[in-house]
């Protein structure tokens, strides 16, 4: 059974701080890694994808991947109250269908 | 920005009834998916669909479930005889390809079984 684990949280940071969200996965065959943001009652919204070891930056977001440690993280710089949401880590394998396996998510609260 | 659209946004149905959830994937996407999320739980894969046939299905996707692409734009999920435990948010997603191609999600259908 392929598992994606996220610290259950919730995580609370002050406005302007860096939020660090972590995720581990069990399947060494996992190839693609995604971070989705989900506001309460809404659908997952893609915010970052990463496929190679190292860092990938997009605006205030940085995704980090370490395949040897089976670890992927998301850093949010200059956190804003609008970043308050649940962040879902999702992985796919090399299978032809690339189904997403999701973690349970971590809820981030940014305090004004 | 093209998007995945789902209808209805909310469906209330009596247990034992059939429901059809509808999705219009992004027009040039080739891979289609259904996921569900029971309240407070993780998003779970149900089924993937490519080239007019099911590519993969999960253990959840038993004989009461079926999918269809009846025309060039719609992608439907049918639940034949609904049970209380089918109550969940159902998300449709589509992608251009597999692997590195991200999946884009619709707004979901909230299914409530009474």
């Amino acid at each position: 059974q392929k598992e994606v684990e996220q610290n259950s949280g919730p995580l609370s940071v002050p406005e302007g701080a860096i939020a660090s969200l972590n995720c581990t996965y069990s399947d060494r065959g996992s190839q693609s890694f995604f971070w989705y943001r989900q506001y309460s009652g809404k659908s997952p919204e893609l915010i970052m994808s990463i496929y190679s070891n190292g860092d990938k930056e997009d605006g205030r977001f940085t995704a980090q991947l370490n395949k040897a440690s089976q670890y992927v993280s998301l850093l949010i710089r200059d956190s804003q109250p609008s970043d308050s949401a649940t962040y879902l880590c999702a992985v796919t394998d090399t299978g032809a269908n690339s189904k997403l396996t999701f973690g349970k998510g971590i809820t981030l609260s940014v305090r004004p | 920005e093209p998007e995945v659209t789902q209808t209805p946004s909310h469906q209330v149905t009596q247990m034992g009834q059939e429901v059809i959830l509808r999705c219009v994937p992004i027009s040039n996407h080739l891979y289609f998916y259904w996921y569900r999320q029971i309240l407070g739980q993780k998003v779970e894969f149900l089924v993937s669909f490519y080239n007019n046939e099911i590519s993969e299905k999960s253990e959840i996707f038993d004989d009461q479930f079926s999918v269809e692409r009846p025309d060039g734009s719609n992608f439907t999920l049918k639940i034949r005889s609904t049970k209380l435990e089918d109550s969940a948010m159902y998300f449709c997603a589509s992608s251009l390809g597999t692997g590195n191609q991200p999946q884009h999600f619709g707004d979901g259908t909230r299914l409530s079984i009474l």
Side-chain angles (χ1 to χ4, degrees):
Chain A
Q1 180 78 2
K2 299 172 185 176
E3 297 286 342
V4 177
E5 299 290 338
Q6 296 182 252
N7 293 336
S8 57
L11 176 66
S12 180
V13 300
E15 185 173 354
I18 296 175
S20 177
L21 312 174
N22 304 318
C23 172
T24 59
Y25 57 94
S26 63
D27 181 13
R28 284 198 171 273
S30 298
Q31 291 292 312
S32 303
F33 307 86
F34 304 92
W35 284 98
Y36 285 84
R37 177 174 61 198
Q38 187 176 34
Y39 293 111
S40 181
K42 302 296 185 182
S43 63
E45 174 193 6
L46 179 71
I47 53 171
M48 286 290 287
S49 59
I50 187 165
Y51 316 114
S52 304
N53 280 327
D55 294 0
K56 179 182 178 182
E57 186 174 318
D58 183 1
R60 295 186 296 113
F61 300 97
T62 298
Q64 300 173 316
L65 175 62
N66 183 326
K67 289 187 177 181
S69 301
Q70 295 175 238
Y71 175 92
V72 58
S73 65
L74 179 70
L75 299 178
I76 306 175
R77 287 181 301 282
D78 188 24
S79 296
Q80 300 297 309
S82 59
D83 294 327
S84 299
T86 297
Y87 289 80
L88 310 178
C89 174
V91 306
T92 66
D93 58 23
T94 55
N97 312 301
S98 295
K99 67 180 182 187
L100 290 169
T101 300
F102 282 88
K104 195 170 181 183
I106 181 165
T107 298
L108 171 66
S109 175
V110 181
R111 308 186 301 271
Chain B
E1 176 89 23
E3 57 182 28
V4 177
T5 57
Q6 290 186 244
T7 55
S9 57
H10 191 189
Q11 174 83 46
V12 182
T13 302
Q14 292 288 331
M15 187 172 59
Q17 296 297 305
E18 175 182 287
V19 294
I20 297 176
L21 309 183
R22 302 181 191 280
C23 170
V24 178
I26 295 173
S27 62
N28 62 337
H29 284 189
L30 301 175
Y31 294 81
F32 314 117
Y33 308 84
W34 283 101
Y35 294 85
R36 79 171 185 189
Q37 186 176 32
I38 295 170
L39 187 64
Q41 298 188 22
K42 62 175 68 174
V43 177
E44 301 174 289
F45 168 77
L46 292 178
V47 66
S48 58
F49 192 87
Y50 169 71
N51 200 26
N52 282 318
E53 60 182 25
I54 290 175
S55 307
E56 186 175 357
K57 57 185 181 180
S58 71
E59 292 177 354
I60 303 168
F61 194 89
D62 61 21
D63 291 344
Q64 69 163 342
F65 290 90
S66 62
V67 289
E68 192 177 36
R69 188 156 164 82
D71 52 43
S73 59
N74 290 284
F75 179 50
T76 62
L77 174 69
K78 181 190 293 186
I79 309 176
R80 220 176 320 278
S81 178
T82 50
K83 300 184 280 240
L84 293 175
E85 54 264 37
D86 293 329
S87 295
M89 281 290 286
Y90 287 81
F91 296 111
C92 174
S94 69
S95 66
L96 196 55
T98 59
N100 292 352
Q101 295 294 328
Q103 294 177 27
H104 298 270
F105 283 72
D107 287 341
T109 293
R110 179 174 299 283
L111 178 62
S112 300
I113 307 300
L114 305 178

